[in-house]
Amino acid sequence: MAALTLTVIVSTKAQGTDVIGKSNIKLNSRMMTPEALWAMGRISSVAASPDGRQVVYQVGYYSVKQNKSHHVICIMDADGKNQRQLTTGSKNETDPTWLDAKTIAFATGGEVWCMKADGTDRRQLSKTSGKVEGFKFSPDRTKIIIVKSLPFHDIIQKNPDDLPKATGRRVTDLMYRHWDHYVESIQHPFLCSVSDYVIADDATDLLEGEPYECPMEPFGGIEQLAWSPDSKEIAYTCRKQKGLNYAISTDSDIFVYNISTRKTKNICKPEGYVQPKMDPTHTLNEQPVSYGARLYHAGYDQNPQYSPDGKHIAWQTMARNGYESDWNQLCVYDRETGAKIYVTKDWDSDVDAFCWAPEKDKSADLYFLSVWHGCVNMYSTNMDGKVKQLTENWADWTSLQLANDGRRILATRQSLSAPTDIYMVTPGKNIEKTKIEQISFENKHILDQLTFGKMQQRWVTTTDGKKMLVWIMLPANYEEGKKYPTLLFCEGGPQSPVSQFWSYRWNFQMMAANGYVVVAPNRRGLPGFGQQWKEEISGDWTGQCMNDYLAAIDDAAQNLPFVDKDRLGAVGASFGGFSVYYLAGHHQKRFKAFIAHDGAFNLESMYTDTEEVFFSNWEYDDAYWNKNRDNYSPRAAKTYENSPHRFVDQWDTPILCIHGEKDYRIVYNQGMGAFNAARLRGIPAELLIFPDENHWVLKPQNGILWQRTFFDFLKKWLK
């Protein structure tokens, strides 16, 4: 493959450091390369001005040479014209939001700042010694929520003051680390007063004296807090558990904080609710804590939003405790009566994001995003639960909010062939009447130079007679009549969709550029095909879902003339990595190469290695040492008996194992164990280990190394 020439436009210099900005790329090849992928700008934090005339947004740029990112703020008219960058310095500027039609607030250097909409008149609004980690102004702009971290020593004890260089950690309970870090601090929201946009030093901790986090780990942000329209109340998300209980429970709730009285009310639980005792080694689904799950909102409740008239609060809700992939519905709470209605109860898929419709829109009360048949589209619902589909694209809509012009929706969208861009959507009475306008073209200068593989949709009959959606990606250099090496893509989760996602690592167009066909099945356990289909994987990791994988690749090998059945590989991450490890012992010589990233290899070890114990309890039912008790779950027995490490004696195919040492969800000993086992068996194997990466690969040079290692390995064994 020809080399790529990459020139970074340096917008300015600060303290002798080149500023990372938008890249001017001239390609010597029309095929995607890792360098081209990392040169793309990544859009986030989109916001419409109060008058609906402008859109401000954040873009992240990455430098492979400097091995870091730079986040900038850009602005454009609501029709996409007059796009320009407001950031001029070397510091990251993030989270832009409008204070009024002419003023933008943003975060930089751990403080809240503001500037005029043309980027001038910058001034610092907060003085917290760089501690701001998130912020949200009240609607009347007289108050602000600031998220800051506090020292936390309930689980990891503070070391003695006379041992300042001691590196040991004395741990006294579970949840001492989460995702990729040790839990020695927790976030709390603080309320401050504001005058002329200047933030006073009078912070009030909304969770004063409480040993709980808000927003919630590991992915929660400022979207987990909301202001009432009258600026008198704050709704927030919190899982008021710690230690062992936190590790085994997903029971978060929506709390309402009254600013004048400083009193907090849980609007998910009935007054006086007392949580039953939980058995930490058994699924909560069969315990008293989950009885009346809907009544007590026993699972995840998060991301509250007040209605424009202030009469209701809506949020995303899961009924069952301990089940992170439960049916995610929209709950609407009447602030006056306390009544709750579930406005998506007749929609058989999850709500991924939502926003309230404007008051004057009588055709809908809320808009939301949801996956169905491998695509995330836009829908509306009213208080009667009447759901209407607004878009029908082979794409993934990823965010939505009101455009503040009374009718349109400001949204972001991506696909398997396009990174995220910004759109204006005018909802119609039906799909045909909905108008979609793309207003940003962040990576057009790169995409126009690339030849992409074409995508096909295929429905395959599974071994139990069901129909399964499979995405087929053709090589970018596809020629009729030729046969190509083919990759079976194994999805993670285990309950995340194979939708129209754009990934900066598992990028199907990158695979297509390297001459591979990609077969990506929406196997059993994935959302978008009804709750029953999604739940058929729990307790059955090695049953029908594995048969679905094999049905997909067998169909491709037998019926698609461009698939070379003698050059098949299987690749995947997380549960997809587990799938690869399992298939390595059960593939009947179908595959010539395997690649597993951050996959579980030994499920007994995984049970006690992982930090969120609720996941293992739900998926396995029981701790492995419970096997001698009378009510030990047959599902648990099946799960442990079919752990991939028990079938290494049947491994016969080259394998690449990849893992990050800061991955505390699936600990790196899993990848090392699989690699060591393969080599002890005499099987050609490689291990790519990242000491400084977590469940993902986030650093540019590590990302390039990942791609090169991935395709070098496949080239060795499939070409």
Side-chain angles (χ1 to χ4, degrees), residues 82-137:
N82 299 319
Q83 188 275 337
R84 56 209 182 276
Q85 183 175 313
L86 300 180
T87 297
T88 58
S90 61
K91 288 185 178 180
N92 288 327
E93 295 182 353
T94 65
D95 306 301
T97 188
W98 293 88
L99 293 178
D100 56 48
K102 297 180 180 179
T103 311
I104 298 167
F106 62 98
T108 185
E111 301 291 355
V112 182
W113 285 62
C114 76
M115 61 182 165
K116 289 183 179 179
D118 63 2
T120 63
D121 193 20
R122 292 169 176 255
R123 56 185 176 128
Q124 184 175 334
L125 305 182
S126 66
K127 294 183 179 179
T128 67
S129 301
K131 295 180 180 178
V132 175
E133 298 172 14
F135 69 93
K136 183 172 283 190
F137 281 89

Side-chain angles (χ1 to χ4, degrees), residues 107 158 161 274 286 296 433 456 523 566 616 655 667 674 712:
K158 186 178 182 298
D161 292 338
V274 177
E286 299 173 358
Y296 297 125
K433 296 293 185 180
Q456 300 177 353
R523 47 111 179 121
D566 294 321
S616 298
I655 190 167
V667 183
D712 283 350

Side-chain angles (χ1 to χ4, degrees), residues 81-327:
K81 296 178 181 178
N82 299 319
Q83 188 275 337
R84 56 209 182 276
Q85 183 175 313
L86 300 180
T87 297
T88 58
S90 61
K91 288 185 178 180
N92 288 327
E93 295 182 353
T94 65
D95 306 301
T97 188
W98 293 88
L99 293 178
D100 56 48
K102 297 180 180 179
T103 311
I104 298 167
F106 62 98
T108 185
E111 301 291 355
V112 182
W113 285 62
C114 76
M115 61 182 165
K116 289 183 179 179
D118 63 2
T120 63
D121 193 20
R122 292 169 176 255
R123 56 185 176 128
Q124 184 175 334
L125 305 182
S126 66
K127 294 183 179 179
T128 67
S129 301
K131 295 180 180 178
V132 175
E133 298 172 14
F135 69 93
K136 183 172 283 190
F137 281 89
S138 62
D140 65 6
R141 303 303 191 242
T142 65
K143 295 173 279 292
I144 188 175
I145 300 166
I146 288 180
V147 175
K148 297 189 293 185
S149 286
L150 300 174
F152 181 68
H153 296 295
D154 280 29
I155 307 300
I156 301 176
Q157 304 304 300
K158 186 178 182 298
N159 282 341
D161 292 338
D162 63 337
L163 301 176
K165 295 184 179 180
T167 59
R169 292 181 172 97
R170 181 184 171 199
V171 178
T172 58
D173 206 344
L174 294 189
M175 289 315 299
Y176 51 91
R177 60 184 190 179
H178 205 166
W179 194 254
D180 60 1
H181 63 279
Y182 282 85
V183 182
E184 296 174 286
S185 65
I186 55 174
Q187 289 186 324
H188 271 200
F190 292 81
L191 177 65
C192 301
S193 58
V194 177
S195 177
D196 189 27
Y197 298 150
V198 176
I199 301 167
D201 187 19
D202 59 353
T204 299
D205 187 349
L206 271 61
L207 276 72
E208 179 69 38
E210 296 188 63
Y212 313 119
E213 65 195 15
C214 176
M216 293 193 305
E217 294 272 16
F219 305 124
I222 200 66
E223 75 284 350
Q224 295 198 336
L225 299 105
W227 283 99
S228 62
D230 60 9
S231 303
K232 295 180 180 180
E233 192 175 275
I234 298 169
Y236 66 86
T237 307
C238 192
R239 176 165 37 168
K240 296 198 173 181
Q241 313 267 3
K242 67 174 185 176
L244 175 61
N245 281 351
Y246 185 109
I248 63 175
S249 172
T250 60
D251 187 5
S252 64
D253 291 317
I254 306 300
F255 296 85
V256 171
Y257 179 86
N258 186 296
I259 292 173
S260 62
T261 65
R262 297 193 177 185
K263 290 185 178 180
T264 301
K265 178 182 178 181
N266 184 337
I267 61 174
C268 289
K269 299 283 194 296
E271 189 174 352
Y273 173 80
V274 177
Q275 177 179 277
K277 186 177 180 181
M278 298 179 285
D279 177 354
T281 69
H282 187 64
T283 176
L284 296 184
N285 197 38
E286 299 173 358
Q287 298 190 45
V289 73
S290 288
Y291 298 166
R294 172 60 71 208
L295 173 64
Y296 297 125
H297 281 251
Y300 275 132
D301 291 274
Q302 54 188 330
N303 305 335
Q305 292 185 32
Y306 286 83
S307 60
D309 61 10
K311 294 180 179 179
H312 298 89
I313 303 174
W315 67 85
Q316 292 162 276
T317 181
M318 297 184 185
R320 290 172 285 182
N321 199 342
Y323 188 16
E324 69 172 1
S325 297
D326 199 3
W327 188 11

Side-chain angles (χ1 to χ4, degrees), residues 378-584:
M378 195 176 299
Y379 300 81
S380 69
T381 183
N382 59 19
M383 291 297 185
D384 294 326
K386 183 179 179 181
V387 172
K388 181 172 66 175
Q389 186 169 350
L390 302 177
T391 66
E392 189 175 37
N393 306 108
W394 277 13
D396 278 8
W397 293 92
T398 53
S399 72
L400 77 171
Q401 60 184 278
L402 294 184
N404 294 331
D405 59 2
R407 183 57 177 152
R408 294 188 298 174
I409 302 170
L410 179 63
T412 54
R413 193 179 83 179
Q414 60 182 228
S415 74
L416 288 170
S417 300
T420 298
D421 265 308
I422 306 170
Y423 293 76
M424 281 289 186
V425 180
T426 305
K429 293 182 179 180
N430 50 47
I431 294 170
E432 290 73 22
K433 296 293 185 180
T434 295
K435 183 180 179 181
I436 300 171
E437 303 169 271
Q438 183 174 349
I439 62 172
S440 79
F441 299 86
E442 172 61 35
N443 296 296
K444 186 176 186 300
H445 62 297
I446 300 175
L447 300 175
D448 283 351
Q449 300 180 67
L450 296 171
T451 299
F452 276 177
K454 291 185 174 146
M455 184 181 59
Q456 300 177 353
Q457 186 187 72
R458 186 172 180 82
W459 289 89
V460 173
T461 301
T462 61
T463 58
D464 61 345
K466 305 289 179 61
K467 291 294 183 181
M468 174 176 60
L469 171 65
V470 181
W471 295 115
I472 306 290
M473 182 68 74
L474 299 180
N477 59 351
Y478 176 76
E479 295 179 24
E480 197 76 31
K482 288 187 64 175
K483 289 185 178 290
Y484 295 89
T486 299
L487 303 177
L488 173 67
F489 174 74
C490 301
E491 175 63 19
Q495 288 154 306
S496 57
V498 180
S499 58
Q500 287 288 307
F501 64 92
W502 177 269
S503 171
Y504 286 92
R505 187 169 68 258
W506 293 94
N507 188 286
F508 287 9
Q509 290 295 350
M510 181 72 73
M511 299 176 196
N514 280 271
Y516 295 96
V517 174
V518 182
V519 176
N522 274 273
R523 47 111 179 121
R524 216 60 52 98
L526 301 192
F529 303 89
Q531 192 67 11
Q532 181 179 347
W533 180 278
K534 186 174 79 169
E535 296 203 359
E536 285 183 15
I537 196 168
S538 292
D540 191 21
W541 281 17
T542 56
Q544 189 57 48
C545 68
M546 293 298 166
N547 292 334
D548 288 350
Y549 281 138
L550 295 177
I553 197 64
D554 286 348
D555 169 77
Q558 295 165 15
N559 299 315
L560 299 180
F562 46 81
V563 170
D564 188 339
K565 64 181 179 62
D566 294 321
R567 292 188 291 166
L568 303 180
V571 302
S574 196
F575 180 85
F578 163 88
S579 301
V580 168
Y581 289 143
Y582 181 80
L583 290 173

